[in-house]
């Protein structure tokens, strides 16, 4: 009899460790690492990943009883996890303190194995890009000397394996031609037979970008995001694995795309917070991209007009190399930014949003000249809340500790946190007064009220209530580009990379709404968003103007934007603050959250964990536990504590200790290493 063979696999569940199975006697070949198998698990079946070579009987864990080991189900010998992706997953599992199987489930979702699709087999799609892009001429531009130098630095690094390990920061103002640099460098890498990965913020993933990439590169490009239909994902993944597709453009999960011979990774808008995954495995795709570049030995380019403090710090330490593009292509000027002091400027009455007369006049004049306006307000809905003028009651979400937002058209009060909604009441539930008034403006009320103030003005709205699909987004942007409206009004959604040549005025309705984010990155983020919004003005030859309305004209972010103080000073200040408080990039932090439907229980459990953790002789600091910024979500109470250390090693040790305690005490915890937003 041949000796038994065993294999340990990772199941796509949030469970620690690997699970060992017996390999059927009649399976002849070696099971390749990186392939997948079917196994019985618990009472059901699941797919699972082969992450280690086979074992003999003497190599399996001592605590397993050989006779009880179950046999494997079906084998799927195709490698779905290339070596570098598996390494990346192991790294992510260690770094973010998440079970390997759970990470693998993010990297290789069931859909990409054909498990969620009616057809098992991949369909041979039309990857003939020449035909698909026929007639669409790639816009050929002659690069400026600065652009050429950047391309050369990147492609040189790609040919020198010793030099390719230091990531680049491509620091270029909006409109400086960063995308052309990516495209030119990518063409060169493709010509060398290698593949290219471009990460973009989720919202930038549009058919328009796809087309620009395909025509610009002349090869098929896979557009990769979390909302892909299962069958589509199956086909694209198969084409990427086989090397038929050598370019992937995608949101954060694309960092795991199984591209072969990766030759270049680009992370556009590297500072964007959407690179941080906020549930399950809480990874930072930009950081993982840097790590993948290291594994593969290919250059990583982080592009931004407003780089994150983390990235700037790496440049300062000499770990990253900075490439600067300080001018707009064609000499287009950066817009002049003016502050509108809402405490002093005369305001328009009869409108919920604070709008200064000066601002309204600027909108009127711009439109009269046949030019367009972008208005930015960081809050959707009609009003931020409903208030009873008689008793002061503000309707709250029944399940979260948050005020409900008024949505007028749908006559609903909505919770923007959990999605709960209810009909807008006619009278106050507390005192039965009919004196219920919406307070605070949202995009919906502005959309209604701007045309009341400026007759004949046409407004388009862009926010998550309005834009429910990619095609809707594209249509709205197209309509605006074709001047079917004068004003485009929206939330963060309109901030990203869209090019509108006729926009010469950008209005920030209320900058203050960005300053109150419960996060040590709030100022940095406000600065990034406001810079990006401002960059929408005057992209072509027109001179652009930006009006930033605020109640805090001397806030450091505002002073930096207007040039009253320098960006270097702003960064230096933020840097100092973080250094003093040991926040990233100086200290390392992890947030541990305990949730329970009973508040007291959540509190007790988190206190027990903090007590058990101690402070290891001062090597770690623990902040909390305390109720989360939003204490209750969907009926569940959340208690947080934060572990802070100087070094990542001691942070990992501490988190590991917490995991072990939680496991012993059967407490479920949510771990967030390098958290964003303390809410
Ligand atoms: P960024 O990504 O830095 O915001 P883009 O690469 O999108 O900038 O460039 C902004 C605009 O300038 C685009 O319309 C682009 O086609 C154009 N452009 C970029 N580089 C050049 C160049 N060297 N010559 C002419 N036009 C250029
Ligand atoms: Zn009342
Ligand atoms: Zn809610």
């Amino acid at each position: 009899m041949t000796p038994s063979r065993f294999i340990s696999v990772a199941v796509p569940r949030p469970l620690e460790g690997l699970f060992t199975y017996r390999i059927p006697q009649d399976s002849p070949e070696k099971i390749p690492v990186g392939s997948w198998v079917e196994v019985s698990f618990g009472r059901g079946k699941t797919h699972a990943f082969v992450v280690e070579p086979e074992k003999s009987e003497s190599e399996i864990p001592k605590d397993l009883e050989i006779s009880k080991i179950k046999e494997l189900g079906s084998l799927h010998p195709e490698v779905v996890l290339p070596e570098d992706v598996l390494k990346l997953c192991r790294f992510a599992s260690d770094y973010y303190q998440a079970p390997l199987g759970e990470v693998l489930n993010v990297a290789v979702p069931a859909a990409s194995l054909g498990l969620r699709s009616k057809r098992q087999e991949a369909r041979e799609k039309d990857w003939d890009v020449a035909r698909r892009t026929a007639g669409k001429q790639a816009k050929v531009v002659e690069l400026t000397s600065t652009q050429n130098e950047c391309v050369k630095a990147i492609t040189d690094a790609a040919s020198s394996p010793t030099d390719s390990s230091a990531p680049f920061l491509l620091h270029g103002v909006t409109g400086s031609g960063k995308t052309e640099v990516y495209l030119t460098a990518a063409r060169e890498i493709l010509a060398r037979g290698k593949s290219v990965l471009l990460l973009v913020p989720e919202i930038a993933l549009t058919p328009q970008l796809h087309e620009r990439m395909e025509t610009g590169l002349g090869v098929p490009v896979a557009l990769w995001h979390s909302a892909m239909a299962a069958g589509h994902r199956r086909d694209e993944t198969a084409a990427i694995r086989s090397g038929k597709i050598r370019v992937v453009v995608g949101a954060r999960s694309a960092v795991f795309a199984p591209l072969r011979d990766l030759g270049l990774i680009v992370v556009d808008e590297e500072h964007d917070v959407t690179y941080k995954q906020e549930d399950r495995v809480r990874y930072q795709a930009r950081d993982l991209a840097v790590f993948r570049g290291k594994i593969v030995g290919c250059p990583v380019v982080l592009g931004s007009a407003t780089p994150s403090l983390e990235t700037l710090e790496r440049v300062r330490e000499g770990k990253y190399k900075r490439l600067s593009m300080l001018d707009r292509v064609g000499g287009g000027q950066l817009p002049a930014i003016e502050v509108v002091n809402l405490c002093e400027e005369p305001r328009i009455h009869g409108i919920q949003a604070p709008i200064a007369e000066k601002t309204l006049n600027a909108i009127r004049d711009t439109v009269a000249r046949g030019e367009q306006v972008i208005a930015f307000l960081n809050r959707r809905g009609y009003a931020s809340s409903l208030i009873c003028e008689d008793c002061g009651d503000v309707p709250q979400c029944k399940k979260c500790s948050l005020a409900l937002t008024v949505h007028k058209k749908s006559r609903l009060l909505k919770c923007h946190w959990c999605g709960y909604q209810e009909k807008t009441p006619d009278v106050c539930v507390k005192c039965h007064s009919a004196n219920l008034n919406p307070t605070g403006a949202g995009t919906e009320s502005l959309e209604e009220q701007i045309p009341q103030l400026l007759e004949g003005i046409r407004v388009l709205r862009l926010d998550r209530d309005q834009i429910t699909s990619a095609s809707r987004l594209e249509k709205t942007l197209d309509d605006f580009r074709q001047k079917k409206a004068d004003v485009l009004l929206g939330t963060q959604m309109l901030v990203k990379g869209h090019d509108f040549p006729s926009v010469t005025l950008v209005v920030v309705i209320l900058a203050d709404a960005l300053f109150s984010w419960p996060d040590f990155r709030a100022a940095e983020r406000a600065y990034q968003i406001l810079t990006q919004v401002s960059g929408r003005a005057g992209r072509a030859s027109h001179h652009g103007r930006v009006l930033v309305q605020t109640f805090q004209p001397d806030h450091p972010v505002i002073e930096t934007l207007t040039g009253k103080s320098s960006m270097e000073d702003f960064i230096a200040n933020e840097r100092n603050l973080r250094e003093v408080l040991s926040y990233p990039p100086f200290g390392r932090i992890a947030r541990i959250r305990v949730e329970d439907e009973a508040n007291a229980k959540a509190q007790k459990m988190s206190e027990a964990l903090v007590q058990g953790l101690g402070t290891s002789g001062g090597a770690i600091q623990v902040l909390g536990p305390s109720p989360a910024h939003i204490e209750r979500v969907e009926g569940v109470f959340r208690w947080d504590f934060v572990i802070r250390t100087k070094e990542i090693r001691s942070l990992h040790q501490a988190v590991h200790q917490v995991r072990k305690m939680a496991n012993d005490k059967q407490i479920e915890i949510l771990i967030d290493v390098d958290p964003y937003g303390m809410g």
Side-chain angles (χ1 to χ4, degrees), residues 139 141-144 147 172-180 212 325 329 499 539:
K139 183 167 137 194
V141 298
E142 192 157 335
L143 296 194
T144 62
Q147 283 174 316
V173 297
T174 23
S176 60
K178 293 187 291 297
T179 310
E180 292 299 332
R212 184 171 178 192
M325 305 215 298
V329 175
D499 210 354
R539 286 200 65 151

Side-chain angles (χ1 to χ4, degrees), residues 86-141:
L86 181 53
K87 268 196 190 147
L88 183 67
C89 292
R90 284 191 189 284
F91 172 80
S93 162
D94 278 348
Y95 190 90
Y96 296 105
Q97 298 275 310
L100 181 61
E102 204 181 15
V103 177
L104 293 171
N105 196 30
V106 174
V108 187
S112 74
L113 302 174
L115 289 170
R116 295 279 183 277
S117 138
K118 282 177 215 97
R119 324 174 257 113
Q120 269 281 321
E121 289 312 307
R123 182 179 290 164
E124 271 304 313
K125 265 211 357 201
D126 179 12
W127 303 120
D128 183 358
V129 70
R131 201 149 50 87
R132 202 141 28 102
T133 59
K136 294 178 203 156
Q137 264 301 307
K139 183 167 137 194
V140 181
V141 298

Side-chain angles (χ1 to χ4, degrees), residues 7-320:
I7 195 144
S8 298
V9 298
V11 297
R13 305 275 156 88
L15 295 168
E16 309 281 339
L18 300 180
F19 296 83
T20 303
Y21 290 85
R22 184 191 303 274
I23 299 172
Q25 285 289 349
D26 57 358
S27 69
E29 336 90 278
K30 274 218 156 36
I31 302 180
V33 171
S35 67
W36 64 284
V37 294
E38 228 167 15
V39 297
S40 50
F41 194 78
R43 261 178 242 138
K45 275 187 174 179
T46 180
H47 65 287
F49 299 99
V50 177
V51 295
E52 296 180 353
E54 304 177 7
K55 296 178 164 121
S56 64
E57 194 170 319
S58 63
E59 289 167 314
I60 65 172
K62 300 274 173 294
D63 53 339
L64 283 180
E65 213 175 302
I66 300 285
S67 62
K68 291 221 173 116
I69 297 179
K70 291 185 215 152
E71 194 159 276
L72 276 186
S74 60
L75 306 176
H76 302 264
E78 188 194 0
V79 171
V80 293
L81 269 167
E83 203 183 330
D84 64 319
V85 179
L86 181 53
K87 268 196 190 147
L88 183 67
C89 292
R90 284 191 189 284
F91 172 80
S93 162
D94 278 348
Y95 190 90
Y96 296 105
Q97 298 275 310
L100 181 61
E102 204 181 15
V103 177
L104 293 171
N105 196 30
V106 174
V108 187
S112 74
L113 302 174
L115 289 170
R116 295 279 183 277
S117 138
K118 282 177 215 97
R119 324 174 257 113
Q120 269 281 321
E121 289 312 307
R123 182 179 290 164
E124 271 304 313
K125 265 211 357 201
D126 179 12
W127 303 120
D128 183 358
V129 70
R131 201 149 50 87
R132 202 141 28 102
T133 59
K136 294 178 203 156
Q137 264 301 307
K139 183 167 137 194
V140 181
V141 298
E142 192 157 335
L143 296 194
T144 62
S145 56
T146 316
Q147 283 174 316
N148 271 322
E149 280 163 28
C150 294
V151 171
K152 187 165 182 304
I154 296 163
T155 51
D156 281 356
S159 18
S160 141
T162 48
D163 206 35
S164 59
S165 54
F168 292 99
L169 163 62
L170 182 57
H171 190 172
V173 297
T174 23
S176 60
K178 293 187 291 297
T179 310
E180 292 299 332
V181 170
Y182 307 149
L183 282 170
T184 312
R187 272 195 295 269
E188 173 67 34
I189 301 300
L190 290 169
R192 297 180 194 174
K194 302 211 158 186
S195 62
V196 175
L197 172 62
L198 171 64
L199 297 186
V200 296
E202 181 94 44
I203 197 70
L205 271 182
T206 59
Q208 198 195 351
L209 174 70
H210 191 222
E211 196 183 303
R212 184 171 178 192
M213 296 292 294
E214 284 203 330
T215 48
L217 298 175
V219 296
V221 170
L223 206 59
W224 183 286
H225 52 89
S226 50
M228 280 160 85
H232 187 58
R233 184 184 287 276
R234 169 68 175 106
D235 298 342
E236 303 255 321
T237 318
I240 294 165
R241 280 204 299 263
S242 70
K244 283 199 184 88
I245 292 188
R246 291 193 293 136
V247 185
V248 169
V249 181
R252 58 180 173 251
S253 66
V255 73
F256 298 107
L259 285 160
R260 293 182 176 182
D261 294 324
L262 205 45
L264 174 66
I265 304 176
V266 176
V267 183
D268 193 25
E269 311 288 2
E270 67 88 25
H271 63 275
D272 196 283
V273 294
T274 64
Y275 285 122
K276 179 68 163 58
Q277 165 86 20
E278 290 295 3
D279 63 323
R280 297 201 296 165
V281 183
R282 292 165 177 248
Y283 64 96
Q284 219 301 357
R286 173 202 59 210
D287 296 349
L288 287 184
V290 169
F291 191 76
R292 188 162 181 193
K294 219 183 265 174
I295 299 174
V296 185
C298 78
V300 177
V301 179
L302 309 179
S304 176
T306 51
S308 62
L309 249 80
E310 283 85 349
T311 297
L312 288 172
E313 194 57 24
R314 306 269 145 73
V315 171
R316 213 180 134 103
E317 295 165 343
K319 290 182 183 153
Y320 292 7

Side-chain angles (χ1 to χ4, degrees), residues 2 11-12 72 96 109 138 167 224 290 355 381 409 453-454 464 473 481 524 558 570 584 607 612:
T2 47
V11 297
L72 276 186
Y96 296 105
W224 183 286
V290 169
I355 292 196
K409 262 181 216 148
L453 298 169
L454 298 170
R464 258 200 291 146
L473 173 66
R481 234 175 256 122
E524 177 189 354
I558 300 287
F570 174 71
E607 280 168 357

